[in-house]
Amino acid sequence: MPCKALLAAVQMVPEMKKRDRDFLSRHAHSLADMRRLAQRRLPRVVFDFVDGGAEDELALRRNEAAMAQTLLLPRPLQGTSARDQSVELFGQRLNGPVLVGPTGLAGLLYPRAEVASARAATAAGTVYAMSHASTIAIEDLAREVSGNLWMQVFVYRDRELTRTFAERARASGYRALVLTIDNQVPGWRERDMRNGFTVPLRLGLKNILDMGLHARWLLRMARGPRFTLANYSREGDSDIMSLAAKMGSLLDPGASWKDVEWLRRLWDRPLLLKGILHPEEARRAIALGIDGVIVSNHGGRQLDAAPASVEALPAVVDAVAGRVPVLLDGGVRRGSDVLKALALGARACLIGRPQLWGVAVAGEAGVAWVLRLLSSEIDRVMAMGGWDRLADVDGSALFAPPAKRGTQPSTREVETPRN
């Protein structure tokens, strides 16, 4: 059973029905449990869209494998009568170092999923980063959720579209802009192709029948609002397939540092670059006035030959040298993973797939449960490790046996691929 603190915290979520709370307390003891529940709730084509990666999915598995081989070195006799896992980012004090990262098409899992996730993040005292490919508009989310909202943008062929997204986010009160730099060419995601989850859709009879067998998902989607890419739709142009096809053509593979400079001049609030793996890119970003970098391989959904995020993290941290916050995205499955990233120099971590599993299972209540699971695990590991504050979790908290230095984790021994 989850600890009393977890149950008490989740009971405070207004939308959490007793049925959901009882179900989660019995069946969702970890993020791995939540993934299995989401897999049962969703049609295969939808689950694979969330769960899959690019090509052979090596980078996707590498995220978890590398995290698993990073070990903590506890000092329990230091004593931890009370643990503080709060963290400050850009002048805002957050209750913990776990942020909800941008994930596109979340509304395919649960109607108005972005609102549900943002409300859960706000209740947990953390950040919700909205995807450009959300199924609710920038302005609508801000009207419904008065939390710490960040907005994701890309560099488009039409720079005015990028400008429009930034201006809409500023007018709606978003506190930071996240420029994702590693998605200018769509990744080759073979699970989606095999399932016919393409533009245009080519769903086979097997997938259509599978959707019909997932009655709970089908019913709630039928009762929800029309599914569309709300930030791209215009009057009379909200068909999801035409918008998806159009969106793919908007991305500009020729995006460069000149565009980063341009966006920096345009946006006067915190600006972060997401998709940094090379330390030299981190140095250049800081030279251009970027306020933070997010070390990420896009959850293994883009370049399959890329290193795991946590493998690239130390070199980026060294390059940044404390001048701006470094965040990590990818591979977080336990509270201990968060502390490993912090010990390697990250300020906080973003989660992608885990919050999608949560929203797929129980909407806002499911995301709240995911965040509380991680918070409870962070607290427990801090107690076992002898760390009162996150600031105490530094390089001295890492265990590195000499015989294993320089070895690379096996990516083929991890059977279950996740973000």
Side-chain angles (χ1 to χ4, degrees), residues 317-378:
V317 168
D318 287 346
V320 169
R323 289 173 287 178
V324 301
V326 177
L327 282 66
L328 177 122
D329 167 77
V332 171
R333 297 293 174 266
R334 291 281 185 181
S336 57
D337 295 337
V338 177
L339 294 175
K340 292 172 186 179
L342 269 57
L344 289 167
R347 179 77 61 86
C349 294
L350 287 80
I351 57 170
R353 288 181 178 94
Q355 64 95 10
L356 291 177
W357 302 333
V359 80
V361 172
E364 180 182 346
V367 180
W369 193 265
V370 163
L371 292 171
R372 286 306 305 171
L373 278 173
L374 289 170
S375 178
S376 296
E377 289 176 356
I378 290 170

Side-chain angles (χ1 to χ4, degrees), residues 4 32 89 118-119 157 173 182 285 300 318 358 362 375 396:
K4 291 181 179 178
L89 272 177
R119 284 176 173 165
R157 294 179 188 274
D182 59 355
D318 287 346
S375 178
S396 66

Side-chain angles (χ1 to χ4, degrees), residues 5-24:
L6 173 58
L7 287 172
V10 175
Q11 286 171 350
M12 295 173 65
V13 180
E15 284 72 19
M16 177 168 282
K17 298 176 182 178
K18 183 178 185 301
R19 180 184 61 187
D20 289 334
R21 185 168 63 246
D22 291 345
F23 176 82
L24 292 169

Side-chain angles (χ1 to χ4, degrees), residues 54 182-189 193 247-249 251 253 301-302:
D182 59 355
N183 198 32
Q184 296 308 106
V185 175
W188 192 254
R189 298 166 193 170
M193 296 175 191
M247 188 177 69
S249 68
L251 298 174
R301 293 168 68 82
Q302 286 298 108

